[in-house]
């Protein structure tokens, strides 16, 4: 289905790799118990992380979002990092201490209003000189809704409906200024060239709004759009509207399947494959030799999945209390509780288990075949794509996956924050640069430039009814 | 009357300045109002004057001269950036000055406001504040489309119907602030434990549901942001009338009032203090700052000319909700000293033009106040609260720990 791995010349031109860095925050990737692990909230951590990413000429820094502390079994989940900063505020501050690095923030389309979000993104784009990106996520749950004054949550089936209308509305707001309205002619006393700049009106199933948007057109016109959902509707939404997908599928086979599927959906929307980048999340473990790296990776995985964490993971699929089970023992002989998942709340990943009984069967078979304890099984099935090896091995593997269309690049998630990116920047990036598959300097100033996306067309002047 | 404490001084930053023609001043950077360099330069200038803080003006809707909605004027500044983001953008590039953006409460989520200002406190190292704004405008409500604000016709805001509408909006604002403040306290300071032995990153007994239930909304909590460096960032509001003084007395740390003379100031301060007592806060320090719009120059005549020139450009005598001061920095210092005796604890000056009047404050007024021994030579406290003599508040939930959750 794709070309064999080759480091030598092939007929196809070599793709340029896109690399980004995810400040990990709330998940079990982060080994917070490591003495090198720093604060996840102090600004200095974000500054160091961002400056390393920029030194390495990465495309962007990425932040996830969760609007309620996660709970399990009715109690706040305390085994991982808990707490994170506000996305817009931290990205605006990072714009002050970086010059080119893109700044991508996850912002939910359910618990927000388009006028406010459009205002914030347009402001961030101005304040960063055109480096803003918006990862549109669609969590809809009532649990998170309890933090909002309107209890604003949705039926699951409406999540992309709202997301679509939200985006279209935000679009209309971004496009309500063309970019040439401010003339600031002191002599003649003309500040604005157009008396109706920013005028918009929108009436649909979700929004009934009108007025004048107050942020003039930003350097990129609008933020770069990312999407992160995985369902059929999610992929369709991405194909129709996104510039990039933050995906979970980073291995060769799963990556290629996802890549082919999503890029195949583009023609329907009159778009070409270069207009939607696929960027899976991946972790990495580096050492001088492959052997050392493998050994260390094993240690890291055991730090990431303690016995307690393993039981909690298992509960998320089983949807019941398993605290009496021994993580070093076999899987429970009881079956998962089917129905609404109530044991774990505020976790996007739980929704991945679409058929818990089937998944449980597969896990049982796997555990049986490989003689795995609960903890060992969890280490196996919850692992994300991880690049493990010497810098050369890791560079090879990344290059190979990208050239074979498993992705267009990776969003790297170090397991040590904030300094876990340094080794990658210092050791792997130079190899990729030497091979000519990764930039040695930024060619442009905006994130769209870094991603190789064409500048947006300026909206037509006759935009007002 | 006891001698007043050393003076506190803030500036209010708005576009090219508070005069509608300020952008036409020869030194105005009219085509840079949306750039980070412009805001960074202004806030750094305020910092060279060791000012307590800057406020950054904002509203949800576009600037307008009409109460009924956007106007179609071409001769004034239109368009701006979100003030919280502007504050965050300048915070890492400054060290001493406080940053206090406006955020509207009427249409926004307290949860979002709370985490934004808490994060601003982190990125500024304890120098963050928030100016609470209420929006009584139907045309702003239409930007959100979720509710209507009953029209307050005419100008008589004391007429019973208008008063009732305002009262509701301010009561809602008080609930909003209460939710924000509870969220700031929803993590105890030492909640993050990183206890390797038990595998726990946080002590969940030190995280608290706020369980706010009010007339307008309910919010469960806790925040997603740990308690900010100041514990409670500074909360401020502008107030012109009793309904707003009441909110201020209940909910804020600094209230900006628009007293037109010393007598007026005395009356307002007395009213604020009465409300403060009624709210059970008489033992707390609540700052009452006088707001003034200022047009400054080295001599009286030039200052008057500056303002007259701007007025001519806009074809109208400039008026404001706040008193307008025109004159020299030394005369302004006299005026501030005078007003201080009426009980004001500080001042927020609104520069008529930027950067001119801001520089006249930092390079003219500030040295003058220092000569008189009533203004600091350098920043003494590292946090904004500390500088204003406000303690880092105890966490309201901390006392409840120890038993069952
Ligand atoms: C890789 C990935 C990352 C995600 N990150 C977030 C996030 O940071 N915050 C969030 O609220 N939801 C996040 N989500 C959840 C999605 O927004 C969405 O709610 C969920 O995947 C359900 O949509 P789906 O059925 O299309 O997958 C993420 C999903 C994926 C696949």
């Amino acid at each position: 289905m794709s070309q064999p791995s080759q480091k030598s010349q092939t007929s196809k031109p070599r793709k340029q790799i896109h690399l980004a860095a995810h400040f990990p925050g709330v998940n079990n990737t982060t080994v917070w118990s490591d003495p090198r692990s720093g604060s996840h909230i102090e600004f200095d951590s974000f500054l160091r992380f961002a400056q390393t990413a920029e030194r390495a000429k990465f495309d962007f820094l990425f932040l996830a979002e969760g609007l309620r502390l996660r709970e399990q079994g009715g109690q706040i989940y305390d085994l991982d990092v808990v707490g994170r900063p506000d996305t817009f505020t931290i990205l605006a501050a990072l714009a002050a201490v970086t010059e080119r690095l893109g700044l991508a923030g996850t912002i939910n389309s359910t618990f927000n209003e388009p006028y406010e979000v459009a205002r914030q993104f347009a402001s961030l784009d101005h304040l960063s000189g055109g480096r803003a990106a918006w990862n549109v996520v669609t969590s809809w749950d009532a649990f998170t809704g309890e933090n909002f004054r309107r209890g604003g949550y949705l039926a699951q089936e409406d999540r992309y409906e709202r997301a679509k209308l939200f985006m279209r509305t935000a679009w209309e707001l971004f496009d309500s200024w063309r970019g040439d309205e401010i003339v600031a002619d002191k002599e003649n006393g003309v500040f604005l060239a157009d008396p109706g700049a920013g005028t918009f009106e929108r009436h649909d199933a979700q929004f009934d709004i009108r007025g004048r948007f107050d942020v003039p057109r930003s350097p990129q016109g609008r933020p770069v759009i990312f999407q992160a959902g995985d369902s059929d509707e999610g992929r369709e939404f991405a194909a129709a509207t996104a510039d990039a997908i933050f995906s979970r599928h980073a291995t060769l086979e799963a990556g290629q399947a996802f890549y082919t599927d999503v890029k195949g959906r583009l023609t329907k929307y009159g778009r070409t494959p270069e207009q939607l980048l696929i960027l899976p999340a991946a972790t990495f473990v580096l050492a001088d030799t492959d052997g050392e790296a493998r050994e260390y990776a094993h240690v890291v995985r055991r730090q990431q999945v303690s016995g307690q964490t393993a039981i909690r993971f298992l509960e998320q699929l089983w949807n019941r209390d398993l605290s009496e089970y021994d993580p070093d023992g076999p899987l429970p002989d009881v079956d998962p509780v089917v129905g609404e998942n109530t044991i774990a709340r505020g976790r996007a990943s739980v929704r991945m288990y679409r058929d818990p009984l089937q998944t449980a069967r597969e896990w049982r078979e796997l555990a049986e075949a490989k003689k795995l304890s609960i903890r060992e099984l969890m280490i196996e099935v919850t692992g994300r794509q991880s690049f493990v090896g010497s810098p050369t091995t890791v560079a090879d593997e990344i290059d190979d996956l990208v050239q074979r269309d498993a992705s267009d690049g990776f969003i790297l998630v170090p397991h040590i924050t904030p300094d876990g990116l340094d080794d990658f920047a210092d050791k792997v990036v130079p190899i990729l640069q030497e091979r000519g598959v990764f930039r040695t300097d930024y060619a442009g100033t905006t994130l769209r430039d870094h991603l190789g996306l064409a500048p947006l067309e300026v909206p037509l002047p006759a935009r007002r009814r | 009357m006891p001698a007043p404490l050393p003076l506190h001084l803030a500036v209010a930053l708005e576009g090219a300045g508070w005069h509608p023609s300020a952008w036409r001043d020869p030194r105005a950077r009219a085509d840079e109002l949306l750039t980070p360099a412009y805001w960074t330069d202004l806030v750094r200038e305020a910092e060279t004057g060791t000012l307590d803080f800057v406020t950054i003006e904002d509203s949800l809707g576009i600037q307008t001269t009409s109460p009924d909605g956007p106007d179609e004027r071409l001769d004034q500044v239109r368009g701006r950036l979100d003030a919280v983001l502007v504050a965050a953008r300048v915070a890492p590039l400054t060290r001493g000055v406080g940053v206090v953006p406006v955020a509207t409460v009427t249409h926004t989520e307290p949860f979002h406001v709370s985490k934004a200002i808490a994060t601003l406190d982190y990125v500024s190292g304890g120098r963050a504040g928030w100016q609470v704004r209420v929006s009584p405008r139907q045309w702003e409500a239409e930007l959100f489309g979720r509710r209507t604000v009953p029209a307050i016709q005419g100008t008589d805001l004391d007429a019973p119907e208008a008063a009732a509408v305002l009262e509701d909006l301010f009561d809602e604002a008080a609930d909003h602030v209460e939710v924000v403040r509870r969220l700031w306290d929803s993590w105890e300071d030492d909640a993050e434990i990183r206890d390797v032995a038990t595998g726990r990153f946080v002590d969940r007994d030190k995280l608290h549901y706020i369980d706010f239930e009010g007339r307008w909304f309910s919010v469960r909590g806790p925040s997603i942001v740990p308690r900010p460096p100041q514990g409670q960032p500074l909360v401020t509001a502008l107030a012109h009338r009793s309904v707003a003084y009441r909110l201020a007395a209940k909910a804020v740390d600094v209230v900006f009032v628009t007293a037109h003379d010393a007598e007026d100031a005395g009356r307002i301060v007395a009213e604020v203090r009465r409300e403060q007592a009624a709210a059970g806060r008489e033992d707390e320090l609540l700052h009452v700052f006088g707001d003034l719009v200022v047009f400054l120059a080295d001599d009286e005549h030039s200052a008057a000319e500056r303002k007259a020139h701007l007025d001519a450009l806009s074809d109208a005598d400039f008026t404001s909700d706040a008193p307008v001061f025109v004159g020299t920095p030394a005369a302004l210092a006299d005026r501030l000293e005078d007003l201080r005796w009426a009980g004001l604890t500080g001042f927020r000056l609104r520069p008529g033009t930027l950067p001119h009047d801001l520089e006249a404050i930092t390079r003219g007024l500030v040295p003058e106040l220092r000569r008189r021994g009533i203004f600091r030579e350098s920043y003494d406290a590292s946090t904004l609260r500390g500088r204003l003599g406000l303690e880092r508040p105890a966490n309201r939930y901390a006392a409840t720990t120890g038993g069952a959750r």
Side-chain angles (χ1 to χ4, degrees), chain A residues 3-157:
Chain A
Q3 299 164 261
S5 165
Q6 273 183 0
K7 270 119 229 167
S8 58
Q9 297 294 321
T10 62
S11 53
K12 200 171 156 198
R14 289 166 72 73
K15 280 162 72 182
Q16 286 293 306
I17 297 170
H18 294 281
L19 291 175
H22 182 174
F23 192 103
V26 177
N27 58 54
N28 75 304
T29 307
T30 301
V31 180
W32 54 258
S33 56
D34 191 294
R36 293 168 297 167
S37 171
S39 169
H40 292 81
I41 191 72
E42 296 297 337
F43 184 59
D44 182 59
S45 292
F46 290 87
L47 179 147
R48 269 151 60 191
F49 190 81
Q51 289 183 343
T52 301
E54 184 162 87
R55 172 161 59 84
K57 316 296 179 196
F58 276 23
D59 292 54
F60 59 91
L61 175 147
F62 184 90
L63 293 178
E65 184 185 61
L67 294 169
R68 180 147 177 199
L69 299 188
R70 304 179 307 173
E71 288 183 8
Q72 194 151 330
Q75 291 194 306
I76 288 170
Y77 193 84
D78 59 1
L79 302 178
D80 297 341
V81 169
V82 182
R84 55 173 122 213
D86 175 64
T87 303
F88 284 116
T89 314
I90 199 86
L91 292 182
L94 286 174
V97 294
T98 53
E99 283 173 8
R100 297 292 181 88
L101 186 68
L103 301 165
T106 298
I107 294 291
N108 190 293
S109 58
T110 301
F111 306 108
N112 285 289
E113 296 300 322
Y115 186 84
E116 200 180 4
V117 167
R119 212 171 173 258
Q120 289 166 314
F121 270 117
S123 297
L124 180 63
D125 206 44
H126 278 285
L127 292 168
S128 63
R131 298 188 275 142
W134 172 16
N135 178 33
V136 186
V137 293
T138 55
S139 303
W140 65 87
D141 52 291
F143 173 75
T144 305
E146 284 177 2
N147 278 340
F148 294 95
R149 64 192 294 176
R150 300 178 184 107
Y153 50 85
L154 285 177
Q156 174 173 353
E157 57 274 19

Side-chain angles (χ1 to χ4, degrees), chain A residues 64-66 106 108 135-140 159-160 227-231 234 246-248 348 351 354:
Chain A
E65 184 185 61
T106 298
N108 190 293
N135 178 33
V136 186
V137 293
T138 55
S139 303
W140 65 87
R159 69 197 188 285
Y160 283 108
Q227 186 275 355
D230 202 28
S231 60
F246 177 45
S247 101
R248 301 188 208 275
R351 297 175 200 124
R354 295 223 148 82

Side-chain angles (χ1 to χ4, degrees), chain B residues 53-121:
Chain B
F53 60 89
V54 298
T55 58
I56 301 172
E57 220 27 54
D58 204 1
S59 65
L60 289 166
I62 197 161
Q63 301 96 322
T64 176
T65 50
S66 157
D68 305 324
D71 57 20
E72 300 220 320
R73 293 182 75 138
L74 300 173
D75 63 333
Q76 296 181 359
V77 170
R78 294 291 178 266
R80 62 164 131 226
L81 304 178
D82 181 276
V84 176
L85 271 75
V86 171
R89 178 64 174 76
V90 300
L93 303 176
T94 51
R95 313 231 91 141
V97 69
V99 282
V100 182
V102 163
T104 303
V105 296
T106 308
H107 305 289
T108 53
E109 295 285 355
F111 195 82
H112 289 319
V113 172
S114 167
K115 68 188 165 51
I117 303 295
T119 302
L120 184 62
D121 209 36

Side-chain angles (χ1 to χ4, degrees), chain B residues 195-209:
Chain B
D195 187 27
V196 177
T198 59
R200 293 173 307 146
F201 182 80
V202 289
D203 176 353
R204 63 177 160 229
D205 290 340
K206 296 187 173 188
L207 301 180
H208 302 275
Y209 297 97

Side-chain angles (χ1 to χ4, degrees), chain A residues 424-435:
Chain A
F424 193 96
D426 296 333
K427 297 175 180 162
V428 182
V429 167
I431 300 174
L432 295 171
Q433 288 170 330
E434 220 161 275
R435 295 189 181 177

